[in-house]
Each structure stands twice: as structure tokens, then as C-alpha cells.
Amino acid sequence: MGTTVVTGAASGIGAAARARFERDGERVIGIDLRDTDVSADLSTVDGRQSAIDSVRECAGDGIDRIVLCAGLGAHIEDLGLILSVNYFGTIALLDALLPDMAGRQGAAALLIASNSVQFAPFGDCDFVAAMLDGNEKKARELVANENGFMAYGGSKYALCCAVRRRAEAWGSEGVRLNAVAPGATKTPLLQGTIDHPLYGRGLKGLKAPLGRRAEPHEIANLIAFVQSEEASYVHGSILFVDGGNDAATRLDQF
Ligand code: NAD
């Protein structure tokens, strides 16, 4: 057991992951806007740096694992904010904390993507290219012409690319890096999207083959496995946990 940093730890999937880690005997340092160990706004450069400084201070003798859950849904009006939290806030912590984990037994980092990465050809989008270039200002400008589903799915697609692009370098540092891609999960973020007059209708048409939405602890179960020694050869992977939605949508593409 060791120390895991969890962003978005105050709610939903992050809170379920925290509870699961603590039940397993892990020490957790939570980051969120409020109601956890470290309060920080991951949408800003200063907030990200303050989160990094604070978790290092709290951790004391080092960080073993990180799980980056903080995110905003497609219903948020400020599309640039979706990219700033979901992608740039996540990547800033991910890259900054690599040296803290490198060389530690069982070190692993995990991002939370989404099954929405399959809903559009995000690889062709200019705002996604700007995200992957690390250009937050340009990505925010370009995404203003899109809608919430595109901004959200694009931010998650870019996270998946970021995992795969880092697999070589992170592997050589001895730190496993993966993404979990959940389907619709009963959290305040999902409820916000359901309640939106336009995006709520889009979600209604999205039926998982298992015929129901996930509970947060069902996502936390996979998170706990991927971050454990049981998953010691799982690296550079995007793991769908979506009740069969990806299979049903993309059939023979994998
Ligand atoms: P949630 O709203 O319950 O939790 C998200 C957390 O992120 C909240 O506690 C919120 O305060 C925090 N957060 C938002 N903006 C922040 C900021 N600027 N700085 C710091 N923290 C901030 O939602 P959730 O569904 O548990 O989402 C967790 C992750 O799972 C997100 O990345 C989301 O995109 C992803 N996800 C969720 C679903 C779903 O259906 N719920 C599906 C796929 C992926």
C-alpha cells in the first residue's frame, strides 16, 4: 500500500475511487474545488501549480499512484472551460507528478476518459490538434465554434492520445499509464447532462447493451484493479467500462 492522489475526489467516480482505495488500506490525497484535502481550481495555471505544490507537501515521503478524475460534462456552456479542466488540468498534473512516482514500486497513473471518444472523428478536429500541441489558448479559441458533445468528447479523445503517446517514455521510467473510459455513470455530471434540454435528448438515445447505467463503484472497481499490482503488465491501454456500448457502436473496430 502507499499514497494515491485522486483529483475530483469530492464527487461521483473520484469519490467512489477514493472510498475503494481507503477500504483497501491506501492513503489518499484528494484534490477538488472544495470538500477534500487539497482545494484547487484545475482550470487555471495557478490552480494547477498550487495543487501540485500542496499534494507534494501533504505526501511527505512521495507519491505512488495518481488517478485523475476531475472533469466537466458536455452541458457546461463555456466550452473552453471543458478543455481547460478535462484536458489541460489533467495533463498538467500528470506530467508534473511523473518524477514523484518514477522508480517507486507499483507506480501507476490513470486518466478518466469516456466512451464518448467513439462518437465523432475527433482525430480530424483542429481544436483536438491544438490540445495535443499543448496550446491551451488556441484550443479554447477553436472549440468556441463547436458544441458541448464535441468539446467533451474531444477533450477525452485527446486524453486517450496522450496516454498512448506517453507509453514508451513512461514505461522506461517504470510508471504504468492507462485510461479508463466509462459509459454513462450515475453522478452529478451525468445528471447535469440529462437535465440539459439538448444534450439530455442525445443521451436518451444511448442505450448500453447491459440495459442500465453504471453505479460509480462499478467504475471504481476497474480503477482499483488497474492501479493494483494485479495489473502489473497493463500499460498504455484504454479500458472501456461501458456496459457494452463501445462494442455495440463500433462492432468490428477496435
Ligand atoms: P462529478 O461531477 O461527480 O465529479 C467531477 C468532480 O470534478 C467534481 O467533484 C468537481 O468539483 C471536480 N471538478 C470540476 N471542475 C474542477 C476544477 N476546475 N478543479 C478541480 N476540480 C474540478 O462527475 P463524475 O461523473 O464523477 O466525473 C468524473 C470523471 O469521469 C470526469 O472526468 C468525467 O468526464 C468522467 N466520466 C463520467 C461519466 C459519467 O457518465 N458520469 C462517463 C464517462 C466519463
Side-chain angles (χ1 to χ4, degrees), residues 8 10-14 32-33 40-43 69-72 85 112-114 152 156 182-185 187-190:
S11 178
I13 293 169
D32 209 306
L33 287 169
D41 181 354
L42 299 177
S43 72
C69 298
L72 295 172
V85 177
I112 308 301
S114 164
Y152 181 77
K156 298 299 185 176
T185 307
T187 69
L189 181 152
L190 180 69

Side-chain angles (χ1 to χ4, degrees), residues 205-240:
L206 195 66
K207 296 269 183 274
L210 284 184
R212 62 179 178 83
R213 292 179 172 144
E215 300 293 338
H217 76 265
E218 295 182 282
I219 312 303
N221 289 343
L222 179 60
I223 292 172
F225 167 72
V226 178
Q227 293 300 87
S228 76
E229 294 278 11
E230 296 284 303
S232 52
Y233 204 62
V234 180
H235 177 56
S237 294
I238 316 299
L239 297 132
F240 285 85

Side-chain angles (χ1 to χ4, degrees), residues 69-72 86 112-114 116-117 131 151-161:
C69 298
L72 295 172
N86 293 11
I112 308 301
S114 164
S116 61
V117 297
M131 274 191 279
Y152 181 77
S155 71
K156 298 299 185 176
Y157 177 86
L159 286 182
C160 293
C161 296

Side-chain angles (χ1 to χ4, degrees), residues 3 5 27 29-32 37-41 46-60 63 93 97 100:
T3 298
V5 172
R27 176 188 178 212
I29 303 172
I31 303 174
D32 209 306
D37 310 297
V38 171
S39 296
D41 181 354
D46 288 350
R48 294 164 197 159
Q49 191 56 53
S50 140
I52 292 159
D53 295 343
S54 299
V55 291
R56 281 192 179 129
E57 203 181 311
C58 286
I63 295 165
L93 265 68
L97 295 177
D100 299 77

Side-chain angles (χ1 to χ4, degrees), residues 174-219:
V175 184
R176 294 188 301 106
L177 171 61
N178 295 287
V180 159
T185 307
K186 295 177 197 165
T187 69
L189 181 152
L190 180 69
Q191 194 57 50
T193 313
I194 289 170
D195 292 342
H196 189 279
L198 177 63
Y199 303 131
R201 274 208 303 277
L203 269 183
K204 274 197 193 112
L206 195 66
K207 296 269 183 274
L210 284 184
R212 62 179 178 83
R213 292 179 172 144
E215 300 293 338
H217 76 265
E218 295 182 282
I219 312 303

